[in-house]
């Protein structure tokens, strides 16, 4: 069948025992409509979910290239991270005394990421209500961008932590949620990996690495796929990637 | 009250790259050896098993294999005028924890430092005179030469099955290898890894400009290989989950793949994990170690008497244990006296990123150390007359693993977020690669390690304090060599380039490299070195301090190959001389 760009694509499996071939259109549909997980939030309150849904949708927006961070489930990813070890500073040094230090000395806040999100979101929503009469999630996207830029540039007045400290944490976690394995609740439908062409869990690349300049268009495979038995594996547990081979 | 245990011949503190080799060799020589490791047992199965091994968030961002800072960290400041604050989260460097140490998650680049590196001071003065020497630079000769270390480099490379191409065999320059390297007695044990597209383009451009490209020597074995210990290391499959990860294939050489199968069978060896050594105990004259004190996972304190104490933990712990135990005189940068903590150095990495409109690189197909390198601007391989700095670094078109949480370069000027950022990431994730420049770092009077007066570890002991910033020498060097790398990049023909020399004030936040060096520097003069040329403490001769802590300054290379050579060098001195007649070897 013909696809946009005048390229005819068909599927070929890697290795002798690859998955059955599927028409390209079916693959595309399968990819775009991965079933949404039921979100059982462990840490975030509804107002915080609304804030993060709105904020991550501006940081990585849905556009003509495809879905963005909100559709990828990044809010849920952040919730799960905050509830887990990351949110309470597991493996981090927490003893005092605390001082703000220089930028070169890094994270010095006594607040855990849980506390940072909770206090910063409340402060930002309070300030938005004062200035615009609405919480952040209800603002027009241009106003939301204004707020996010002010946070990014350290011009938004936050009390509990410096504005840029919170913004960097939010951006870092958003990128993590967009590109990490779907097992953590983000990158739903492997949206992030499909956007950039990353195959996820690696196959044996020995036969491919010296094919210089040849695209390797694989359906990405996640840890979650493998645990659910959705990918054929070799004897070391590497997935056998299903390749979309371009024939011009 | 500590429980006193039965005496043994040797106690090894830290079972990583150096500790595993020394323990194996000395146990085989008939000695009773106890290995004390603060972390847990780790092995290919189940610790690095598929599919969990390919999880970027867990290993790169949540530091699964790395030091737990909630128990112990260090404090940091840029200079002595500032107040040091604890490194609360891992950033600039990522030390390991557990059996195998950082050699579990290392990238695998395995270099021999240049002959010049071991004689930095004397060769610089001889070639350029005193005017070339940077102000307050404390870099020095190592007390050992490349020629003395050559057999030990050779043995380590053959133990770890390094894949590479010789450039100088017994003085004869071999095409396709590094013509600047010191003469080697044998070819590498394994042929080079395959060549990535990025590597091929770099090789071509570098050659046209008259430089000397060669495949980067790597501990990712290019074919199945059985070493002298009878351990078999598998062939790399280029999965691209290498640096910061354990290898599910057992194809990256590490203590787990190259040494432990043999070590754990040694009758004379006993491993104790979750055993955190807090002190080396000295006799009343402080001239002899009588053993070590450690605390186990139940908080019980033990005293392990031993005739010989080998400190083989990471740079920071080697130095900290010396300071906590009173081995050697602590360095004082104001009076410029003392040696322990002196000559702390690091690395000066910089980069050139190349962006293309029409080329696809598949940089996610990768291996630790996979790449093409030139060494034309390393060490003293180029004329430094009038340049105002010493040292250099190698340039590598690196194909070491592109995973999108961390590796998603965008052209300079792209916003940090939003639609324009998304478009750039989508476009360039697979249409870019980087030339990594591994700049050297000279030692400087104001850069050092000592004990912090305020912050403590979970046992209540003082943390190590790092005082460090790169100096003008490093900034000038980085500018010069990064611009040279940009010339090669330009010849490859990218549509855009990010040229990023290392110029800013040192920050502990973004990852740079786990190549911390010095603090227990080796040398020929006890006034300026903590250990002699055999890595033996000048003050307490039955203590050897082995690792990159012995580097008097850092070269323009990854340190592990030289750490391996120093390990075998110290071993030879212990086995052939010290055991026969315990006492000072120099």
């Amino acid at each position: 069948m013909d696809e946009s760009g005048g390229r005819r694509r068909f599927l070929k499996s890697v290795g002798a025992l690859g998955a059955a071939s599927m028409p390209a259109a079916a693959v595309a549909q399968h990819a775009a409509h991965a079933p949404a997980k039921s979100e059982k939030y462990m840490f975030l309150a509804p107002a915080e979910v609304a804030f993060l849904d709105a904020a991550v949708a501006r940081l990585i927006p849905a556009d003509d290239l495809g879905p963005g961070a909100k559709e990828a489930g990044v809010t849920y990813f952040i919730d799960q991270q905050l509830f887990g070890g990351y949110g309470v500073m597991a493996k981090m040094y927490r003893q005092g005394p605390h001082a703000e230090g220089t930028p070169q000395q890094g994270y010095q806040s006594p607040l855990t990421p849980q506390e940072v999100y909770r206090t910063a979101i409340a402060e930002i929503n309070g300030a938005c209500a004062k200035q615009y009469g609405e919480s952040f999630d209800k603002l027009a996207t241009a106003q939301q961008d204004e707020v996010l830029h002010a946070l990014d540039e350290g011009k938004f007045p936050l009390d509990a932590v410096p504005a840029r400290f919170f913004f960097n944490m939010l951006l870092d976690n958003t990128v993590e949620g967009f590109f990490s394995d779907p097992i953590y609740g983000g990158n739903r439908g492997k949206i992030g990996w499909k956007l950039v062409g990353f195959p996820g869990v690696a196959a044996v690349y020995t036969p491919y690495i010296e094919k210089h300049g040849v695209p390797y268009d694989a359906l990405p495979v996640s840890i979650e796929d493998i645990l659910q038995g959705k990918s054929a594996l070799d004897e070391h547990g590497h997935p056998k990637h299903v390749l979309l081979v371009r024939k011009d | 009250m500590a429980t006193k245990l039965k005496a043994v011949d040797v106690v090894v503190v830290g079972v990583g790259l150096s500790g595993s080799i020394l323990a194996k060799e000395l146990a085989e020589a008939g000695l009773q050896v106890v290995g004390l490791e603060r972390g847990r047992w780790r092995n290919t199965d189940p610790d690095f098993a598929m599919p969990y091994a390919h999880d970027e968030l867990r290993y790169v961002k949540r530091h699964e294999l790395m030091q737990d800072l909630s128990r112990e960290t260090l404090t940091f400041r840029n200079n002595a005028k500032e107040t040091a604050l604890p490194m609360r989260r891992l950033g600039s460097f990522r030390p390991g924890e557990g059996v195998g140490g950082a050699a579990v998650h290392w990238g695998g680049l395995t270099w021999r430092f240049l002959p010049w590196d071991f004689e930095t001071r004397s060769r610089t003065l001889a070639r350029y005179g005193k005017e070339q020497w940077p102000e307050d630079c404390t870099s020095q000769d190592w007390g050992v030469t490349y020629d003395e270390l050559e057999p030990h480099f050779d043995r380590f490379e053959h133990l770890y099955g390094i894949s590479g191409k010789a450039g100088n065999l017994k003085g004869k320059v071999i095409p396709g290898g590094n013509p600047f390297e010191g003469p080697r007695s044998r070819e590498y044990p394994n042929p080079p890894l395959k060549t990535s597209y990025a590597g091929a383009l770099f090789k071509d451009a570098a050659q046209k400009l008259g430089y000397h490209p060669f495949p980067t020597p790597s501990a990712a074995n290019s074919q199945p290989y059985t070493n002298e210990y009878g351990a078999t290391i598998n062939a790399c499959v280029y999965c691209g989950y290498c640096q910061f990860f354990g290898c599910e294939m057992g194809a990256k050489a590490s203590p787990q793949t190259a040494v432990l199968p043999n070590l754990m069978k040694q009758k004379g060896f006993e491993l104790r994990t979750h055993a955190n050594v807090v002190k080396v105990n000295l006799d009343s004259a402080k001239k002899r170690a009588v053993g070590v004190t450690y605390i186990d996972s139940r908080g019980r304190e033990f005293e392990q008497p031993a005739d010989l104490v080998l400190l083989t933990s990471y740079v920071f712990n080697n130095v900290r244990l010396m300071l906590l135990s009173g081995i050697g005189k602590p360095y004082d940068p104001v009076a410029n006296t003392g040696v322990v903590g002196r000559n702390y150095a690091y690395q000066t990495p910089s980069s050139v990123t190349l962006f293309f409109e029409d080329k696809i690189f598949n940089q996610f197909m990768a291996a630790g150390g996979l790449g093409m390198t030139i060494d034309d601007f390393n060490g003293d391989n180029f004329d430094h007359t009038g340049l105002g700095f010493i040292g250099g670094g190698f340039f590598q078109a690196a194909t070491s693993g592109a995973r999108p949480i961390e590796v998603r370069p965008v052209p300079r000027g792209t916003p940090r977020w939003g639609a324009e950022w998304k478009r750039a990431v989508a476009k360039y994730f697979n249409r870019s690669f980087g030339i990594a420049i591994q700049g050297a770092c000279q030692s400087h009077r104001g850069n050092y390690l000592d004990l912090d007066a305020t912050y403590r570890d979970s046992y209540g002991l003082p943390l190590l304090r790092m005082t460090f910033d790169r100096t003008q020498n490093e900034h000038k060097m980085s500018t010069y060599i990064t611009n040279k790398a940009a010339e090669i990049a330009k010849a490859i023909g990218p549509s855009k380039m990010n040229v990023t020399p290392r110029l800013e004030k040192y920050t502990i936040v973004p990852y740079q490299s786990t190549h911390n060096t010095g603090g227990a520097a080796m040398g020929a003069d006890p006034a300026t070195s903590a250990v002699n040329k055999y890595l033996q403490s000048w003050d307490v001769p039955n203590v050897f301090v082995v690792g990159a802590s012995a580097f008097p300054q850092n070269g323009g290379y990854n340190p592990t190959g030289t750490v391996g050579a120093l390990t075998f060098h110290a071993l030879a001195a212990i086995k052939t001389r010290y055991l026969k007649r315990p006492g000072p070897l120099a």
Side-chain angles (χ1 to χ4, degrees):
Chain A
M1 78 196 65
D2 287 313
E3 289 199 339
S4 59
R7 280 181 163 162
R8 195 164 71 87
R9 291 175 155 213
F10 63 92
L11 283 160
K12 191 182 120 186
S13 62
V14 179
L17 294 171
S21 64
M22 271 189 275
V27 172
Q29 193 173 24
H30 173 75
H33 299 284
K37 280 192 180 166
S38 60
E39 291 153 349
K40 298 181 182 72
Y41 286 98
M42 304 293 288
F43 175 75
L44 296 172
E48 293 162 345
V49 171
F51 173 91
L52 287 176
D53 272 347
V56 305
R58 300 312 302 153
L59 296 179
I60 309 181
D63 57 16
D64 57 320
L65 290 175
K70 183 184 168 189
E71 295 74 23
V74 165
T75 304
Y76 182 63
F77 166 86
I78 292 174
D79 175 78
Q80 295 294 291
Q81 291 297 307
L82 291 179
F83 185 71
Y86 171 81
V88 293
M89 283 184 168
K91 294 188 87 168
M92 283 179 69
Y93 185 82
R94 293 195 61 193
Q95 294 180 40
H98 286 85
E100 199 135 279
T102 67
Q104 287 74 21
Q105 289 173 314
Y107 199 123
Q108 292 299 334
S109 173
L111 301 189
T112 64
Q114 277 190 358
E115 293 167 319
V116 171
Y117 272 87
R118 182 134 291 166
T119 53
I121 291 173
E123 283 192 44
I124 294 165
N125 272 338
C128 288
K130 240 186 222 167
Q131 192 174 341
Y132 305 104
E134 304 262 32
S135 59
F136 177 85
D137 56 293
K138 297 197 179 67
L139 302 183
T141 53
Q143 289 171 324
Q144 288 175 342
D145 284 354
E146 229 171 79
V147 172
L148 291 169
H149 278 295
L151 287 164
D152 187 3
E153 288 153 24
K155 291 174 185 159
F156 195 99
L158 283 191
D159 187 42
V161 288
R164 199 145 209 252
F165 178 83
F166 171 68
F167 183 83
N168 284 340
M169 185 182 280
L170 173 63
L171 182 59
D172 193 35
N173 294 154
T174 301
V175 169
E176 287 174 354
F178 195 64
F179 288 125
S180 58
D181 197 280
I183 200 167
Y184 294 102
N187 193 12
R188 195 163 291 162
K190 295 166 275 188
I191 283 169
W193 292 352
K194 284 172 186 163
L195 175 73
V196 299
F198 179 65
V201 179
V204 169
Y205 292 136
T206 313
Y208 296 98
I209 189 158
E210 289 192 316
K211 293 187 177 179
H212 293 168
V214 179
Y216 183 85
D217 288 340
L219 287 178
V221 175
S222 65
I223 295 170
E224 190 174 62
D225 291 335
I226 292 173
L227 296 179
Q228 292 174 350
K230 287 181 183 166
S231 175
L233 304 175
D234 71 13
E235 75 269 28
H236 295 289
H238 295 109
K240 298 183 177 188
H241 285 162
V242 175
L243 292 187
L244 293 155
V245 179
R246 291 168 195 229
K247 288 236 166 164
D248 290 313
Chain B
M1 188 67 196
T3 304
K4 194 163 180 171
L5 302 168
K6 198 169 150 256
V8 295
D9 299 315
V10 184
V11 64
V12 174
V13 181
V15 184
L17 184 130
S18 297
S20 59
I21 292 170
L22 292 168
K24 185 267 170 193
E25 293 283 335
L26 295 175
E28 196 167 63
L31 300 177
Q32 275 304 118
V33 182
V34 164
L36 299 175
E37 167 55 49
R38 69 177 172 179
R40 66 181 175 91
W41 171 254
R42 303 185 295 182
N43 212 345
T44 304
D45 182 25
D47 295 291
F48 325 135
M50 291 295 286
Y52 301 101
H54 289 191
D55 183 341
E56 185 183 13
L57 185 75
R58 178 174 179 169
Y59 291 98
V60 180
K61 296 301 297 287
R62 301 292 179 259
H63 308 133
E64 174 84 7
L65 299 172
M66 292 136 197
Q67 183 171 330
D68 182 347
L69 302 186
S70 72
R71 294 183 191 141
E72 184 193 327
T73 184
L74 49 75
T75 67
F76 161 71
R77 57 183 180 174
N78 279 117
N79 58 66
K81 288 182 194 130
E82 296 179 355
T83 303
L85 293 176
M87 175 176 72
R88 298 187 180 277
R89 163 186 273 174
L90 282 178
S92 169
F93 42 84
R94 297 171 179 167
E97 186 170 286
V99 172
V104 166
H105 69 260
W106 70 312
L109 288 86
T110 311
W111 294 100
R112 298 178 172 203
F113 277 20
L114 293 163
W116 180 84
D117 286 313
F118 298 103
E119 297 164 88
T120 296
R121 185 172 166 85
S122 55
R123 288 200 188 200
T124 299
L125 297 186
R127 182 170 176 182
Y128 304 103
K130 267 192 166 168
E131 311 73 53
Q132 190 81 11
W133 195 253
E135 199 188 341
D136 282 338
C137 174
T138 53
S139 293
Q140 60 198 34
D141 294 1
W142 294 44
V144 70
T145 62
Y146 172 83
D147 289 341
E148 288 175 86
L149 288 177
E150 201 288 329
H152 308 301
F153 275 117
D154 178 76
R155 188 146 178 227
F156 178 69
E157 287 165 356
H158 280 72
L159 183 71
Y160 267 43
I162 305 307
S163 306
K165 175 73 195 148
N168 182 339
L169 275 178
K170 296 177 182 167
K172 191 181 165 212
V173 171
I174 307 294
N178 177 11
F180 298 101
E181 69 179 1
R184 55 176 68 235
S185 49
R186 278 194 284 178
E187 183 49 276
Y188 282 96
N190 282 311
L193 293 164
K194 292 175 183 287
T195 305
S196 69
Y197 190 25
L201 293 179
F202 177 82
K203 180 183 177 185
D204 197 39
Q207 237 155 11
K208 280 185 187 144
L209 289 168
Y211 301 132
H212 303 84
F214 60 94
T216 312
S218 171
N221 282 205
S222 57
Q223 58 188 13
Y225 175 78
T226 301
N227 68 15
E228 62 162 300
Y229 291 175
T232 296
I233 302 165
N234 291 321
C236 174
V237 300
Y238 304 92
C239 79
Y241 292 85
C242 199
Q243 189 183 16
F244 311 131
F245 296 83
C247 178
E248 76 276 9
M249 288 297 294
K252 175 168 69 175
S254 66
Q256 275 73 3
T257 52
V259 180
L260 292 179
N262 186 309
L263 171 63
M264 297 312 288
K265 282 188 214 145
Q266 293 293 335
K267 285 199 177 65
F269 177 68
E270 184 194 340
L271 172 68
R272 295 181 202 147
T273 53
H274 304 292
N276 209 321
V277 175
V278 292
K279 196 175 186 186
V280 179
N281 303 312
L282 305 182
D283 68 4
S284 55
K286 303 214 174 282
K287 289 287 174 203
R288 189 173 176 280
V290 295
V292 302
T293 295
Y294 71 91
I295 299 171
D296 78 355
S297 58
R298 293 169 64 179
R300 296 176 297 197
E301 204 171 307
F302 295 95
E303 196 185 317
Q304 177 60 66
D307 290 332
L308 181 59
V309 175
L310 306 178
L311 301 184
T312 55
S313 59
Y314 196 66
V315 173
F316 299 127
N317 298 69
N318 279 356
V319 175
R320 183 165 175 253
L321 271 176
M322 292 180 83
L323 291 168
L324 289 173
S325 310
I327 300 173
K329 190 178 175 191
Y331 174 60
D332 176 349
V334 179
N336 203 10
T337 58
V339 289
V340 182
R342 188 178 185 270
N343 283 35
Y344 170 73
Y346 190 42
Q347 199 88 67
T348 312
S350 60
S351 64
V352 178
T353 309
L354 297 77
F355 300 92
F356 297 82
E357 305 304 305
D358 55 350
K359 286 186 172 65
I360 296 280
F361 292 97
N362 298 334
Q363 283 280 87
F364 48 82
M365 300 179 185
L370 177 62
M372 293 298 293
T373 290
I374 67 160
D375 219 13
D376 297 64
F377 293 98
N378 206 346
D380 202 29
N381 297 343
F382 58 108
D383 188 356
H384 286 67
T385 305
L387 296 180
F389 66 86
I390 64 169
F394 74 82
F395 309 168
Q396 183 196 212
T399 303
S400 56
R403 299 166 303 264
I405 298 177
E406 276 225 318
V407 186
R408 43 181 166 74
V410 291
R412 190 155 287 143
T414 305
R416 293 214 297 158
W417 50 276
E420 204 183 321
W421 172 85
K422 184 183 173 189
R423 189 163 295 282
V425 170
K427 181 169 182 184
Y428 291 114
F429 176 74
N430 211 2
R431 292 183 182 83
S432 61
F433 71 89
I435 299 174
I437 298 142
Q438 194 74 284
C441 182
Q442 301 307 320
S443 290
H444 196 79
R445 183 168 171 176
N447 291 336
Y448 68 106
L449 305 171
D450 66 353
L451 292 176
D452 193 273
T454 306
Y455 294 95
R456 311 242 149 194
D457 71 5
S458 59
Y459 303 110
L461 298 168
L463 295 179
L464 196 68
R465 176 172 68 176
M466 174 195 293
T467 305
F468 177 75
D469 204 354
R470 296 188 184 92
T471 69
Q472 220 182 37
N473 185 76
E474 278 55 62
H475 295 156
K476 280 185 190 167
M477 177 207 66
S478 191
T479 302
Y480 182 81
I481 67 177
T482 308
N483 286 335
K484 290 289 178 190
E487 289 170 14
I488 303 173
K490 205 171 166 196
I492 298 171
S495 62
K496 300 181 183 73
M497 291 198 293
N498 291 349
V499 181
T500 317
R502 185 70 62 175
L503 298 174
E504 79 284 2
K505 199 172 171 185
Y506 172 70
T507 156
I508 206 152
V509 182
Y511 184 75
Q512 289 152 63
S513 97
T514 311
H515 302 166
N516 314 86
T517 61
M522 60 195 290
D525 180 357
T528 54
S529 56
V531 296
N532 65 25
K533 66 180 281 191
Y534 303 106
L535 294 96
Q536 178 185 39
S537 164
W538 288 109
D539 302 270
V540 185
N542 66 334
V543 173
F544 287 72
V545 188
V546 184
S549 52
F551 293 11
Q553 60 273 349
N554 202 6
Y557 293 114
N558 308 57
T560 306
T562 299
V563 171
L566 290 179
T567 302
F568 277 111
H569 169 67
L571 173 72
I574 292 168
K575 265 171 88 170
T576 60
R577 294 182 52 205
Y578 180 86
L579 291 176
K580 285 174 190 151
R581 225 182 128 194
L585 296 174

